[in-house]
């Protein structure tokens, strides 16, 4: 055990080679990079299949810039024998924190665990696939299979509603990063590397299980339907203010429920509903079951109040609520999305410009936070990295 | 370094005390438990605020059962001095893999890092909050602030659309689990514990940044709007089959685009659109820009084919697609959500019944998978745990 160098980030000493595209694996790599791991993304000439993905600015991909923050970029042509040797050499280069590869590209032949682990026996290889059997699946097909599009969206709508957030990708990326740390702990304790596998569809299925949705669909003859913006099983919904803004309001706890009554002055009206229904609104389930008359009372209250009044009343009473914002409104108005939030800095992204950029959301008391870094230019570190690992052709 | 015991799960030897409710922290704990950590959830008499959350079966919470899988449950009344001493003793009990606490409850006084670390200097404490400043925020208010509800849902709809999946909670839970492993790595290397902090809103903001949405909103005068079920910047959308089923179809790559033409026999019609538009449909951006006429061609093709025909044609040509399913259809029809998938077993959940349950989606080559375990009965392990750590009153 050694004393910690004062300036060492929490994942200092870890080195991950990333062969990737799209969201899950790049986000896993970016997550580790933001915590101080040396993450080296390897692409072929011209870049990966995701190099030009929308949204663009000045013709450059903001998507690529976001998902590859803080990495080093190496371009190697693996159609040549020399290139394949270089990539294999990089992945299996010696060093206590090295010998780790993260990929969501097809692995076979020279990129297989079997072949690469011949060059470094304690190799850790994290492979992300679509389906568990290696079949192709992406966030959008997994989401369609899981049932969420029939639960999301306005009540009475005819058809599924996809959510725009690639949530399964993001969760898979985070789990892959977690798995790398678990495997590295194992290697540190037992000297042994391993192949780790994770599929997007298994992540979706496991989460659907954790949330009780699989059990519900198996055990209940009539599982839940679609409830629009109402939060199933509790008190929560959107409302429109007099000035046409929308707010999300919840009462998950008895205290939050009491606050909502106090902030709106509707305690007596809520109690009247409670008494008529013979309900106990200190209970979450009762607030859900009898939500309709409560929503009516609140709708007419919101129709008489502007967002500014709502904010004042709700914040002073500790109501659980928040305004809906477009992304434009978020970056214009919300102090959490500004340099007032220490997670953010304005930094220059080569080719696209200077804009507000986040570092890791994780704050470690015993390790300094790394300031956010832009994505590299494609191939920016090719020479540097090949030289560093003695792999120049 | 010691050889690995053959039956040791990947996180064997790790012990985490969880003071939690709802999704993020319980999911973080369940994730570590599924990988073999000893996760001990501590609740007050009667259980936490989430003990009765919907969905229910036989009056018992399937939500609680899902989010607390594989943990031990201890009930201690922390309104008493003895109870507080027991919980603090449990959190700070000796042992190499112990001294770790995961919480999303307010920490202050005796539960603060300052106080607890007096009892164990190398304590690791992972604290999840709503907002970074400790303010209350939940998945639904964070999501409203981030802008996704204005991007999700049918084009032309007036109003925000919440997605039903508590995606920010899930990501936060996974990141918290990751952070515990990062802090434990640090402790193993440098002998030092620490406080780790993470807020739900920072997770949402960081992910919005990684996906390019913040940069887009800052740099572009007119950032993207709402595109219904179309996947922004690429070729992807839902279609309705002749027999009234919905399918999600994508072509993210040139190869997938070619497959779609071959599987539907529409290659020539696609080429005609391409030629009229002077586009190059091998490029993702061109498939997005000129998607409307392509959608029309496909709509009429799907209207002439049943799901069974679609499946046969698409699977044999490697099209990237999947059927929409309700959760009922998922558990009835999809082999991925059955015991054909080795992640799943049918297990008995005390009080609710026997149903299909997932273990960890992560597969470690050098450590056996743990079979899925149910959530404990509330307080099931109180005596066992207090005795084990010498904390009986």
């Amino acid at each position: 055990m050694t004393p910690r160098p004062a300036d060492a980030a929490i994942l200092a000493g870890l080195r991950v080679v990333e062969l990737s595209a799209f969201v899950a694996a790049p986000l896993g790599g970016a997550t580790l990079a933001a915590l101080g791991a040396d993450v080296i993304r390897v692409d072929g000439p011209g870049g990966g299949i995701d190099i030009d993905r929308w949204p663009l600015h000045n013709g450059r991909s903001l998507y690529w810039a976001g998902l590859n923050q803080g990495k080093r970029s190496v371009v190697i042509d693996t159609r040549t024998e020399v290139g394949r040797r270089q990539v294999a050499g990089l992945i299996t280069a010696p060093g206590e924190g090295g010998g780790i590869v993260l990929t969501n590209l097809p692995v076979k032949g020279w990129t297989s665990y079997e072949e690469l682990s011949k060059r470094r026996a304690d190799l850790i290889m994290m492979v992300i696939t679509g389906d568990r059997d290696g079949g192709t699946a992406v966030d959008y097909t997994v989401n369609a299979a899981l049932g969420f599009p029939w639960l999301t969206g306005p009540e009475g709508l005819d058809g599924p509603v996809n959510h725009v957030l690639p949530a399964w990708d993001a969760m898979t990326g985070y789990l892959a990063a977690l798995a790398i740390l678990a495997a590295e702990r194992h290697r540190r304790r037992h000297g042994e590397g391993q192949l780790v596998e994770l599929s997007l569809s298994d992540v979706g299925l496991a989460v659907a299980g954790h949330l009780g949705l699989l059990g519900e669909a198996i055990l209940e003859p009539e599982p839940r339907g679609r409830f629009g913006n109402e939060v199933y099983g509790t008190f929560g919904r959107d409302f429109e203010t007099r000035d046409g803004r929308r707010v999300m309001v919840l009462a998950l706890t008895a205290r939050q429920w009491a606050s909502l009554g106090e902030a709106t002055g509707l305690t007596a009206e809520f109690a009247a509903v409670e008494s008529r229904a013979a309900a106990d609104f200190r209970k979450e389930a009762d607030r859900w079951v009898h939500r309709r008359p409560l929503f009516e009372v609140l709708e007419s209250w919101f129709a008489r109040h502007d967002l500014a009044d709502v904010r004042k009343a709700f914040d002073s009473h500790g109501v659980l609520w928040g305004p809906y914002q477009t992304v434009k409104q978020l970056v214009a108005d919300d102090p959490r999305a500004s340099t007032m939030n220490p997670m953010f800095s304005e930094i220059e992204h080569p080719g696209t410009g200077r804009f507000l950029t986040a570092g890791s959301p994780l704050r470690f008391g015993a390790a300094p936070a790394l300031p956010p870094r832009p994505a590299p230019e494609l191939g920016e570190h090719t020479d540097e990295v090949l030289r560093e690992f003695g792999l120049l052709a």
Side-chain angles (χ1 to χ4, degrees), chain A residues 84-95:
Chain A
R84 290 191 288 272
R85 220 164 37 223
Q86 285 172 324
V87 175
L90 189 56
I91 290 170
T92 59

Side-chain angles (χ1 to χ4, degrees), chain A residues 107-248:
Chain A
V107 290
K108 53 187 176 190
W110 68 275
T111 60
S112 67
Y113 175 75
E114 194 189 350
E115 287 304 314
L116 289 170
S117 62
K118 286 179 189 159
R119 301 179 59 132
R120 180 165 172 162
D122 68 351
L123 178 73
I124 294 168
M125 183 168 201
M126 174 73 239
V127 177
I128 297 172
T129 58
D131 279 328
R132 188 183 182 101
D133 63 5
T136 308
V138 295
D139 187 282
Y140 308 94
T141 60
V142 166
N143 194 51
L146 290 173
F148 287 95
W150 292 116
L151 304 178
T152 296
E155 227 173 317
L157 189 82
D158 176 33
V161 173
N162 293 354
H163 50 242
V164 161
L165 173 69
W168 308 114
D169 270 336
M171 291 180 213
T172 300
Y174 286 148
L175 267 181
L178 177 160
I180 285 172
L181 298 187
E184 205 247 353
R185 174 177 180 271
H186 182 97
R187 187 169 72 179
R188 214 170 263 278
R189 296 174 86 204
H190 306 301
E192 184 182 42
Q194 62 194 299
L195 173 65
V196 190
E197 295 168 285
L198 179 64
S199 77
L200 210 55
S201 64
D202 275 358
V203 172
L205 289 161
V207 170
H210 282 303
L211 295 171
L213 286 157
L214 299 188
E216 182 187 20
I218 293 165
L219 298 171
E220 290 288 312
E222 293 283 344
R224 81 183 71 173
R226 181 180 252 164
F227 294 106
N229 287 343
E230 299 172 8
V231 183
Y232 179 74
T234 189
F235 189 86
R237 216 200 73 179
D238 63 317
F239 292 92
E240 188 167 0
T241 63
R242 182 169 61 182
D243 52 346
R245 287 291 300 267
R246 298 276 183 148
V247 295
M248 184 73 203

Side-chain angles (χ1 to χ4, degrees), chain A residues 69-390:
Chain A
Q69 272 181 240
K71 300 176 191 174
R72 296 202 277 177
S73 170
V74 167
V75 169
I76 297 175
D77 188 348
T78 56
R79 289 167 304 185
T80 71
E81 179 57 34
V82 170
R84 290 191 288 272
R85 220 164 37 223
Q86 285 172 324
V87 175
L90 189 56
I91 290 170
T92 59
E96 195 199 22
I100 305 176
V101 56
L102 165 62
T103 186
N104 63 335
L105 303 184
V107 290
K108 53 187 176 190
W110 68 275
T111 60
S112 67
Y113 175 75
E114 194 189 350
E115 287 304 314
L116 289 170
S117 62
K118 286 179 189 159
R119 301 179 59 132
R120 180 165 172 162
D122 68 351
L123 178 73
I124 294 168
M125 183 168 201
M126 174 73 239
V127 177
I128 297 172
T129 58
D131 279 328
R132 188 183 182 101
D133 63 5
T136 308
V138 295
D139 187 282
Y140 308 94
T141 60
V142 166
N143 194 51
L146 290 173
F148 287 95
W150 292 116
L151 304 178
T152 296
E155 227 173 317
L157 189 82
D158 176 33
V161 173
N162 293 354
H163 50 242
V164 161
L165 173 69
W168 308 114
D169 270 336
M171 291 180 213
T172 300
Y174 286 148
L175 267 181
L178 177 160
I180 285 172
L181 298 187
E184 205 247 353
R185 174 177 180 271
H186 182 97
R187 187 169 72 179
R188 214 170 263 278
R189 296 174 86 204
H190 306 301
E192 184 182 42
Q194 62 194 299
L195 173 65
V196 190
E197 295 168 285
L198 179 64
S199 77
L200 210 55
S201 64
D202 275 358
V203 172
L205 289 161
V207 170
H210 282 303
L211 295 171
L213 286 157
L214 299 188
E216 182 187 20
I218 293 165
L219 298 171
E220 290 288 312
E222 293 283 344
R224 81 183 71 173
R226 181 180 252 164
F227 294 106
N229 287 343
E230 299 172 8
V231 183
Y232 179 74
T234 189
F235 189 86
R237 216 200 73 179
D238 63 317
F239 292 92
E240 188 167 0
T241 63
R242 182 169 61 182
D243 52 346
R245 287 291 300 267
R246 298 276 183 148
V247 295
M248 184 73 203
V249 182
L250 299 106
L252 307 180
T253 68
R255 196 184 58 72
Q256 290 164 352
W257 176 243
S259 302
L260 184 60
E262 288 156 22
T264 53
L266 294 171
T267 304
E269 295 195 50
F270 291 165
V273 174
E274 191 171 25
S275 155
R276 274 198 303 278
D280 179 353
F281 286 160
R282 289 170 301 181
K283 294 185 184 163
E284 192 172 30
D286 278 18
R287 296 193 294 276
W288 166 250
V289 171
H290 302 287
R291 65 197 181 277
R292 300 273 177 219
L294 296 172
F295 288 158
E296 279 173 31
V297 170
L298 276 165
E299 276 165 19
S300 82
W301 185 88
F302 279 101
R304 300 190 306 272
H305 293 84
D306 288 345
L307 177 62
D309 314 330
V310 171
R311 186 186 298 277
K312 204 169 148 190
F314 282 15
D315 283 348
S316 65
H317 285 85
V319 173
L320 177 53
W321 80 289
Y324 282 84
Q325 304 176 132
T326 63
V327 194
K328 268 278 189 212
Q329 288 169 330
L330 168 71
V331 295
D333 302 339
D334 195 324
R336 293 174 295 185
S338 78
T339 53
M340 288 176 62
N341 180 342
M343 180 174 75
F344 280 109
S345 302
E346 293 218 334
I347 62 168
E348 185 69 30
H349 294 258
T352 49
R354 190 176 169 81
F355 59 89
L356 193 73
T357 306
S360 176
L362 283 163
R363 290 166 277 154
F364 290 87
L370 280 176
R373 291 169 292 166
E377 293 271 22
L378 183 71
E380 183 180 339
H381 306 95
T382 306
D383 289 348
E384 167 190 308
V385 167
L386 292 180
R387 187 166 294 115
E388 187 177 327
F389 294 95

